[in-house]
Amino acid sequence: MLGTITNVCCIVVGSTIGALAKRALGEKYTTVLFNALGLASIVLGCNAAVSHMGKSDYPILFIMALAIGGIVGTAIDIDAKVQRALEKRGGSNAAQGLTTACLLFCIGTLSIVGPVLSAVEGDNTFLFTNATLDLFSSMMLASTFGIVIIWAAPILFCWQGSIYLIAKYLSSSFFSEGLINELSIVGGVLIICTGLSLLKIKDCKTLNLLPSLIIPIVFYLIK
């Protein structure tokens, strides 16, 4: 778990530094950062989805995942509930910022394969690399959205910790290349959604789409 703990610490440190820097930034510069993050999210999301699309064994699975997950998330109304909870603590953009942070930190080859390698081989290289990237990403996100980004740290710990425990004590083969591809495609689309929201092009209510990430896991469990 050393790699995951390091990753979590980097997010805490980066978020703290970024939140302190936010106080020195005026509204004009905050707007620029919003636009930069929005564009970066779209590029990263497109790259994640497209680069894994050709490797998918089930090309329509991500469509089913988004449809089913979106219906479930809308029925629960995750977006509205989280928005109300976080607006009391971090302002009107808190939920949007935390969603963006969690998707960027958790969805990716480094964050999924890293805990598996750590559990099976004791190799933390992927996680240390991911921690370095998350350190700077959390600084930029916190300088835009504030200290609310620090809450992505415990979420990442639960995400990577769960993968670690499954690989360590149940089956490392569960997180196959196929499952990672499907998660990356769905995750890439969700990251694109956050980018569109940040740029104020379309509010896709990304939080309502989060259950989509569960569908590939359920599919592979049944398979």
Side-chain angles (χ1 to χ4, degrees), residues 8 12 42 66 74 95 97 105 117 155 175 197 202 204 207 214 216:
V8 168
V12 171
I42 290 176
L66 290 169
T74 301
F105 296 159
L117 290 177
I155 294 173
F175 290 96
S197 297
K202 171 69 175 178
C204 300
L207 286 169
I214 301 173

Side-chain angles (χ1 to χ4, degrees), residues 120-190:
V120 177
E121 302 178 8
D123 184 357
N124 290 302
T125 304
F126 273 32
L127 289 176
F128 288 152
T129 303
N130 199 54
T132 304
L133 294 172
D134 289 350
L135 172 65
F136 294 102
S137 298
S138 58
M139 287 171 60
M140 185 173 181
L141 286 164
S143 66
T144 307
F145 295 102
I147 196 62
V148 69
I149 301 301
I150 204 170
W151 288 105
I155 294 173
L156 177 84
F157 180 81
C158 293
W159 170 256
Q160 290 188 357
S162 298
I163 295 175
Y164 179 93
L165 291 174
I166 290 172
K168 184 79 171 178
Y169 300 108
L170 295 179
S171 172
S172 60
S173 61
F174 175 69
F175 290 96
S176 62
E177 183 179 355
L179 176 56
I180 292 172
N181 286 334
E182 302 304 333
L183 287 173
S184 297
I185 294 170
V186 176
V189 174
L190 297 187

Side-chain angles (χ1 to χ4, degrees), residues 38-85:
L39 292 169
S41 295
I42 290 176
V43 172
L44 291 171
C46 287
N47 179 65
V50 173
S51 63
H52 290 86
M53 191 78 71
K55 304 174 185 177
S56 174
D57 296 323
Y58 308 97
I60 65 169
L61 179 58
F62 84 97
I63 301 175
M64 294 173 56
L66 290 169
I68 296 171
I71 290 172
V72 172
T74 301
I76 301 172
D77 202 6
I78 300 173
D79 187 83
K81 291 176 180 176
V82 174
Q83 290 277 6
R84 286 194 296 269

Side-chain angles (χ1 to χ4, degrees), residues 5-57:
I5 293 171
T6 302
N7 204 159
V8 168
C9 290
C10 283
I11 292 175
V12 171
V13 172
S15 299
T16 303
I17 294 173
L20 292 173
K22 185 179 187 298
R23 299 179 181 178
L25 296 174
E27 183 178 348
K28 177 172 66 175
Y29 296 104
T30 301
T31 301
V32 171
L33 286 175
F34 265 102
N35 292 335
L37 284 171
L39 292 169
S41 295
I42 290 176
V43 172
L44 291 171
C46 287
N47 179 65
V50 173
S51 63
H52 290 86
M53 191 78 71
K55 304 174 185 177
S56 174
D57 296 323

